[in-house]
Amino acid sequence: RKKLLNTISRVRITPVPGEPSDDSFHLPHEYYVPFVVEPLSLPKEKEYFLDGRINILCIGKLTLERKNHILLLKAIHDLRNTYPIRLNIVGALRDEGNPYYGEIKNYIHRNTLGDIVTIKPNVPYRQCREEYLNHDLFILPSRNEPAAVSHLEAMSYGLPVICSDTNGTKSYMEENRNGFIFHTDNLEDLKDKIIKIISKKDILIRMGKESLRIVQQKYSPLRYYNDISEIIKLEFN
């Protein structure tokens, strides 16, 4: 694999930093350059807890089982009687007859979650701005996610984030500063991480502001420009 990649391209750029202890796959001319996003919401502009609820957002394709919506729904079901939570699930949907999408709808129906859970299929990208602005917490429950960008987008709108430990870009968030990483497929751990954020509203607001600061410090377009410029100097000058 290394020989093939070296043949195809001398320089390889990846948005996935990998694990610090993992040296099983490394190329001499491989560089980590993270995804970037424009910070789009100032802390003073952010409105939290619309309608008196803790509004949770999840964005992921509604036909992919690895997006793990059911796990999140189970967590919401278990926490609904203790916390004033509401969940909106946004995602692409090409086939309403998709079996996994059917599982999501059936779980909501069987557990009478329709009053606090809403599915929003095929929301245009530009309208996603309003979704981010109208929510308080972003959760990406997916397993084996190669390189997600949605939690970084959520951070740019001042949302604390939760994602699994098999998300290739989990390090974009900072544990206990602007969110938490939970053990993949572990319902109890996911619930524990949600509770740590929503149990005290001042903690949620503080973490949301930290998300925005992290984006401004590490993931602005200027960061991308500087990184690419440095690679060009190292490789082609």
Side-chain angles (χ1 to χ4, degrees):
R1 184 180 175 190
K2 291 180 181 178
K3 290 180 180 179
L4 176 61
L5 285 172
N6 277 324
T7 301
I8 295 172
S9 175
R10 180 186 171 198
V11 178
R12 180 172 181 261
I13 296 173
T14 175
V16 179
E19 300 297 335
S21 60
D22 182 13
D23 58 358
S24 61
F25 182 71
H26 178 71
L27 296 172
H29 302 281
E30 181 179 55
Y31 296 92
Y32 163 62
V33 179
F35 292 129
V36 295
V37 65
E38 190 73 41
L40 297 173
S41 172
L42 298 176
K44 64 181 180 180
E45 298 174 343
K46 176 67 183 175
E47 291 187 42
Y48 293 92
F49 317 120
L50 298 177
D51 301 323
R53 293 178 180 267
I54 299 167
N55 297 285
I56 299 172
L57 177 64
C58 173
I59 295 181
K61 292 181 179 179
L62 297 168
T63 54
L64 291 182
E65 188 173 353
R66 68 175 173 82
K67 294 298 182 180
N68 227 359
H69 299 92
I70 303 295
L71 182 74
L72 179 55
L73 288 171
K74 289 179 179 179
I76 296 300
H77 175 267
D78 290 352
L79 299 175
R80 64 181 299 183
N81 293 326
T82 309
Y83 301 95
I85 52 179
R86 178 170 184 82
L87 171 66
N88 281 317
I89 301 175
V90 175
L93 177 65
R94 293 186 177 182
D95 177 17
E96 291 192 6
N98 178 272
Y100 178 64
Y101 179 58
E103 287 183 33
I104 296 173
K105 293 195 300 179
N106 288 337
Y107 187 92
I108 294 172
H109 176 72
R110 289 196 315 270
N111 294 278
T112 61
L113 291 172
D115 58 331
I116 63 168
V117 177
T118 301
I119 300 177
K120 298 184 177 183
N122 301 322
V123 175
Y125 180 76
R126 290 185 179 181
Q127 291 182 21
C128 284
R129 171 181 169 82
E130 295 302 315
E131 297 296 336
Y132 286 121
L133 288 174
N134 292 332
H135 288 80
D136 307 305
L137 170 64
F138 183 85
I139 301 178
L140 186 65
S142 55
R143 68 174 74 88
N144 300 321
E145 188 73 60
V149 72
S150 56
H151 63 310
L152 181 60
E153 290 180 342
M155 288 165 57
S156 75
Y157 285 94
L159 297 183
V161 296
I162 295 174
C163 70
S164 73
D165 58 3
T166 53
N167 180 343
T169 49
K170 60 182 181 292
S171 62
Y172 285 26
M173 57 144 293
E174 297 184 12
E175 185 85 3
N176 209 31
R177 180 182 173 189
N178 76 307
F180 292 102
I181 298 169
F182 74 96
H183 298 301
T184 299
D185 289 325
N186 189 318
L187 176 60
E188 294 304 316
D189 192 38
L190 174 58
K191 289 193 295 184
D192 178 64
K193 297 305 192 296
I194 294 173
I195 291 170
K196 284 182 178 180
I197 293 180
I198 69 175
S199 59
K200 294 183 179 180
K201 292 183 178 180
D202 59 327
I203 293 177
L204 186 151
I205 293 173
R206 175 178 58 80
M207 284 191 162
K209 292 179 179 180
E210 287 301 311
S211 279
L212 189 57
R213 291 192 185 101
I214 290 170
V215 169
Q216 292 168 337
Q217 293 166 2
K218 297 184 177 182
Y219 303 110
S220 69
L222 181 60
R223 160 73 188 267
Y224 186 85
Y225 172 81
N226 290 336
D227 285 353
I228 293 298
S229 297
E230 187 63 25
I231 292 171
I232 291 173
K233 289 179 184 178
L234 290 171
E235 295 287 347
F236 301 105
N237 285 350

